[in-house]
Amino acid sequence: MILGLDVSTSITGASVLDANGGMVFCEAWDMRNKNHFPDLYNKASFIKGRLLDLSIHFRIEHIYIEQSLQAFRPGLSSAKTLLTLAKFNGIVSYICHSDMGIIPEYVGASSARKLCGIKVPRGEKAKEVVLKNILDNTPDFSIQYTKHGNPKPGSYDRADSLVVARAGYKLWKEKNSKS
């Protein structure tokens, strides 16, 4: 089975695909509550527990993680935010290796979307395009909406993790067809 992760310090998305590429698990792990998760260490412990729980319920063989942003882009994230995300991505990667015995592989967000055939038109928000694509093409994927009609928190993270998992599945299949 393949685990796809969209790692973030606020909400982390996790999806598991079976050997045929079918979705068997898709969740968002919310860590926005500052009282429960005051620092990266508490967040890492929480993610570790969730990952170990997944490894009990599913025979995870491959892990794909969305690569953290490599460059500063004005107006989106500060340098401090990028560094914190990269640090947390590294912590989660270490947990995957040390506690699950799997060295994760990384896939960039745009590469993952491309592998899944998702094109983001100029001027549109990638997360919204991805979510719409997943909702339109994955019958067993559903979300809830706020009273204002917006996707509830975690919806985008779940969709992104599913795209990462599907891209990972395609990369894994491609690698195995060459062997």
Side-chain angles (χ1 to χ4, degrees), residues 9-162:
T9 56
S10 55
I11 300 174
T12 290
S15 293
V16 176
L17 304 183
D18 62 22
N20 298 315
M23 182 182 75
V24 294
F25 177 88
C26 188
E27 236 177 51
W29 301 329
D30 194 340
M31 299 168 288
R32 294 174 298 159
N33 185 319
K34 300 270 189 239
N35 293 326
H36 288 106
F37 306 104
D39 53 40
L40 282 185
Y41 302 104
N42 292 89
K43 293 176 182 197
S45 292
F46 175 73
I47 294 295
K48 178 178 179 171
R50 292 295 183 262
L51 290 172
L52 292 176
D53 193 44
L54 278 182
S55 68
I56 290 169
H57 291 87
F58 302 104
R59 191 167 164 258
I60 306 295
E61 297 170 286
H62 305 280
I63 300 173
Y64 290 86
I65 297 177
E66 184 177 290
Q67 194 171 39
S68 54
L69 292 173
Q70 301 296 308
F72 177 72
R73 295 191 310 184
L76 294 179
S77 295
S78 69
K80 181 181 177 187
T81 299
L82 291 180
L83 288 171
T84 301
L85 287 171
K87 189 186 313 182
F88 195 59
N89 205 327
I91 292 168
V92 172
S93 298
Y94 179 76
I95 291 168
C96 290
H97 178 250
S98 67
D99 295 356
M100 298 173 76
I102 300 169
I103 297 173
E105 295 182 52
Y106 303 92
V107 60
S110 58
S111 297
R113 289 191 297 266
K114 186 175 181 179
L115 282 164
C116 294
I118 301 171
K119 293 180 180 165
V120 180
R122 188 175 302 277
E124 291 193 31
K125 294 181 180 177
K127 290 199 173 286
E128 292 175 2
V129 172
V130 166
L131 183 60
K132 181 175 181 349
N133 181 284
I134 295 294
L135 287 168
D136 290 349
N137 298 297
T138 310
D140 48 345
F141 184 94
S142 62
I143 63 169
Q144 295 179 332
Y145 295 90
T146 65
K147 62 183 177 182
H148 301 292
N150 299 315
K152 283 203 171 177
S155 300
Y156 294 118
D157 308 279
R158 289 177 54 229
D160 286 346
S161 73
L162 187 54

